[in-house]
Each structure stands twice: as C-alpha cells, then as structure tokens.
Amino acid sequence: MTAAPATPALPTTRPDGCPFEPPEKYATLRETAPTSKVRCPAGMDAWLVTRYADVRAVLADRTMSSRGASSVHVNPNADLDIDVSPGSIIQLDGAAHARLRKKVIAEFTVRRVEALRGYVQGLVKSHLDAMLAKPGRTADLVQDFALPIPSLVICELLGVPYADRSRFQRQSATLVSTDATREEGEQAYDALSGYLAGLFTAKERNPQDDLFSKLISTGGDDPLTMEELVVLGLSLLVAGHETTANMIALSTLVLLDHPDQRDVALAEPERAVEELLRYLSVVQWGVLRYATEDVRVGSREVRAGEWLVAALNSANRDESVFPAADKLDFHREQPRTHVAFGFGAHQCVGQQLARVELQEALTGLFRRVPDLRLAVPREELEYKHNTLVYGVRELPVAWG
C-alpha cells in the first residue's frame, strides 16, 4: 500500500532577498490549485484560498465565522477551541459583531477622520523637526517617526495617555508575535486588559471627549459591560498603531527603492497609498475563517466545521485583477479594489484613519527630507517574519 501524501505546510517563507514579495508558492497555487488544503502551524488543516475573487467571496460570506480571525492558525500554541470573548469586534459574528461596530463606526467615518488631518499633519511636522535635529543626521525611522505618529493618533482618539505607550506597545508586540508562548501571550493580554479596565473605571468617574468615554456614556438601553469595553478597547488600541506603524516604515523603504516613483507619490498621495497597501499587504498570513455550513469555494466543496485561510497578500498579487501585479505602479487603474483591509462585514473599521496617516506621513517625510537614504547596507535590515503584521524592525536612515 502507498501512504497518502502529507498535507503541505502553509507557505510562510518569502523569497530570499525579496522582502516585499509574498511566498513564491502563492503564484503557483493561484494557477494550479487556488483553493487547496494546507497544514497550519497551529496544527490543523485548512483550505488556503489564494485567488482574489475567491478571497472576497469567503470574506463576504456570512456563513464563514471569524471566530479565529486573529490569525491563530500561525501560532503553534493556539487554542482553537477557546470561546470568543464578549466585546471582540474582530472575532464575533452576525448581530453581536454589528452591535459593536455600530458603537464605534461614527469615530472612523471619512468626515470624522478628515477632521483629524490637521492634527496628523502637526504630528508629522513636530516629529520631523525632532528627527532632523538629532546629531549626526541619522535616525531610526521606526522609533523616531513611524511608530509614534499612529500611536499618538490612536491615543488621542481613544483617550489613552500617550505617556503609557511603552507599556501597551510592548504588550501589543507580544500579542502579534507568532513566537510568543501561550503563557507569554496570556500574560500580555491580562496585563493590557488590566490596564484598560483601570482606564475605563477612571473615565466612568471623569469622562472626557474621547471614544472610550463615549462608549461608557452613550450606552443607553444597551450599555457595554466592563468586559466588553476592555476587549473592544484592546482590539482598537493594538490594531490602531501596529498596522499603520509598520506600513509607514515599510512604505518608506519601498520609496527609497523606487526613487523614480517618488514624485508621483508626492503629487497623488491617495493613489500611491492605495498601491502601497496592495503591494505590501502587511497582514501577512491572511485571515482565518470557520465554515458553519457547507459551501463551495471556487471548484472546492468546503464542509461545515472546516477552516479556511483567506490569503490577502496572494489576492492582492492576482494577475487577473492587477496586471503586472508584482510591480509597484502608482498609475494602476482602480487601486482601491485591493483587500489589504479585508472585505465584507469585518473590513477594517479604521481604514480611513490609516489612509490619512499614511498620506500625511509619507508626503511630509519626502517633501521635508528629499535626500533621505538608508544609513546601513540593505542586507543588514531585519524584517518581522514572525509577527502577524509584517514590517521592518529598525530603519536606520541618513540625510544631508
């Protein structure tokens, strides 16, 4: 008898020397097996969905539960059977998810975010002032620019003291790491939850003009419990700075690699940012879904109880939708059709804020410092291959 072939592992390795490219296997799968079984680091098999149309269909399907949507499939220490916490806007489905989204969406509308643009511009200017004043005309763009700007914005919006940033940034980094042990993850979660519980308790006594205070004061007949407030607040705080900070630094590196496109980015920042979002797709392992009913995905029959991984970075490199998809092209038609922010009911609630932060950070940086360059050889840069959100750990730059 011949043994059945082993289920192939989820592709996780980027091609050598190509930090902006997703795993090479995706291109082959899109052509030959666009929905195929893989073995995930968490130990379970899942259907890996690689084509753009199929990824959108999976994410739009209300029978696909997002209970594992924190990408637990890439964590070897994941508990796949753990109950979803009340207040988890990322993992709850249906009416429970819609209830939470309704309570926060007003703070993230285009109009509300545009009102914050001047504040973001001020942060960009002040951080560039400080960076350019550093001795030696060198800086780490991550710590001096890319990380503090979205952190300050989300702290201002939510009502979190920026003075506490080192605490929540450290704990956030543990929560998005695929190398953290279960114990380390639980400790980080408990520490951040405890911090937010104290913050919400203080806001109950002394509310301010921020989202956390509004969540407490506008509960009406349907108030959020303290557990719901804490879990919702944790999701917003972590997502609000991790993804955008990594996008700012990685986008800067891309523009340093493509000086010929920098003028286009400065002239049309909205278009450039959409292409950068598509090209980089920093949510690098996709999002996890759980089939609650039998469903057809492409040519495959997916059974109730099976897992699926919607590979966002593969969908955003689908040549049938984005011709010459592996090429950065700021003149690309319809750039906002990408799925970097997901799709469907769980599409990123903070996407408009991320767009404004990226537009202002990148245009402010390259207008102010047109001679920006790497301060170390390219091969010395270290990338976040072991985190849910891809990025560069440090970005030493120089000017003048």
Side-chain angles (χ1 to χ4, degrees):
M1 295 180 63
T2 303
T7 305
L10 175 76
T12 57
T13 304
R14 294 173 183 264
D16 290 341
C18 301
F20 306 134
E21 302 303 310
E24 292 176 293
K25 185 67 173 176
Y26 285 147
T28 303
L29 289 174
R30 284 195 302 271
E31 291 296 323
T32 62
T35 300
S36 57
K37 277 287 182 72
V38 294
R39 174 62 56 89
C40 297
M44 84 290 198
D45 287 351
W47 291 102
L48 178 62
V49 185
T50 57
R51 283 184 182 166
Y52 175 88
D54 295 336
V55 165
R56 280 173 53 113
V58 166
L59 296 181
D61 191 335
R62 298 300 180 98
T63 70
M64 297 286 183
S65 172
S66 64
R67 53 177 271 199
S70 53
S71 297
V72 296
H73 59 291
V74 293
N75 191 333
N77 304 295
D79 182 354
L80 297 172
D81 297 321
I82 193 169
D83 292 334
V84 175
S85 300
S88 178
I89 194 171
I90 297 174
Q91 294 175 281
L92 288 170
D93 300 309
H97 167 258
R99 169 177 173 256
L100 294 175
R101 196 174 180 95
K102 182 179 179 180
K103 289 181 178 293
V104 301
I105 194 64
E107 295 298 311
F108 296 98
T109 61
V110 172
R111 182 177 179 181
R112 176 72 175 98
V113 168
E114 280 299 322
L116 288 171
R117 190 180 288 272
Y119 174 69
V120 176
Q121 291 171 342
L123 291 179
V124 170
K125 181 182 182 302
S126 64
H127 281 79
L128 286 174
D129 288 344
M131 190 179 86
L132 295 175
K134 291 173 72 74
R137 297 187 178 184
T138 61
D140 173 12
L141 196 86
V142 172
Q143 292 299 323
D144 294 328
F145 187 73
L147 182 57
I149 290 172
S151 295
L152 275 162
V153 173
I154 200 65
C155 284
E156 175 74 12
L157 187 65
L158 299 182
V160 176
Y162 184 64
D164 296 338
R165 64 190 181 280
S166 61
R167 174 188 299 187
F168 71 74
Q169 286 172 355
R170 182 175 62 252
Q171 292 156 351
S172 295
T174 301
L175 291 175
V176 300
S177 171
T178 61
D179 288 342
T181 65
R182 183 180 297 183
E183 182 180 12
E184 289 170 337
E186 290 173 349
Q187 288 174 349
Y189 184 90
D190 290 344
L192 191 50
S193 297
Y195 166 73
L196 289 174
L199 188 62
F200 276 112
T201 299
K203 288 183 182 297
E204 284 181 321
R205 296 192 298 265
N206 184 27
Q208 306 293 322
D209 185 22
D210 57 63
L211 177 54
F212 281 179
S213 295
K214 292 174 184 176
L215 287 174
I216 296 170
S217 62
T218 60
D221 296 330
D222 184 27
L224 296 175
T225 66
M226 180 58 74
E227 183 179 8
E228 289 175 323
L229 287 167
V230 167
V231 176
L232 177 59
L234 188 152
S235 299
L236 295 173
L237 182 59
V238 173
H241 76 276
E242 278 287 344
T243 50
T244 310
N246 283 294
M247 268 299 301
I248 291 173
L250 212 55
S251 296
T252 299
L253 182 56
V254 169
L255 289 172
L256 290 176
D257 281 356
H258 295 79
D260 57 312
Q261 297 217 45
R262 207 175 298 163
D263 288 343
V264 181
L266 293 175
E268 299 183 75
E270 295 87 357
R271 178 178 290 273
V273 162
E274 297 307 319
E275 174 66 352
L276 287 164
L277 287 163
R278 180 202 71 83
Y279 183 70
L280 293 171
S281 302
V282 295
V283 180
Q284 63 175 335
W285 309 127
V287 290
L288 191 62
R289 291 291 185 264
Y290 180 83
T292 62
E293 299 179 9
D294 292 351
V295 65
R296 190 175 186 86
V297 178
S299 63
R300 297 290 190 177
E301 296 291 339
V302 176
R303 302 300 180 189
E306 292 188 312
W307 294 96
L308 303 94
V309 176
L312 304 181
N313 51 2
S314 177
N316 282 336
R317 296 298 183 98
D318 190 331
E319 296 267 348
S320 69
V321 181
F322 307 104
D326 290 336
K327 178 183 177 182
L328 184 75
D329 180 8
F330 291 154
H331 296 291
R332 189 179 298 281
E333 295 297 321
Q334 298 179 321
R336 286 186 70 155
T337 56
H338 64 76
V339 291
F341 290 117
F343 189 70
H346 283 83
Q347 193 171 25
C348 175
V349 71
Q351 60 182 285
Q352 302 302 338
L353 181 60
R355 287 184 166 105
V356 167
E357 291 172 326
L358 284 164
Q359 292 163 13
E360 296 302 331
L362 296 173
T363 55
L365 175 64
F366 282 102
R367 282 178 181 147
R368 186 83 176 272
V369 199
D371 57 347
L372 191 74
R373 65 183 186 275
L374 281 178
V376 298
R378 186 72 150 64
E379 58 270 18
E380 290 185 10
L381 297 178
E382 294 185 15
Y383 300 90
K384 297 181 178 181
H385 295 293
N386 62 339
T387 61
L388 303 182
V389 182
Y390 187 61
V392 61
R393 297 193 182 282
E394 296 177 349
L395 189 59
V397 293
W399 57 89

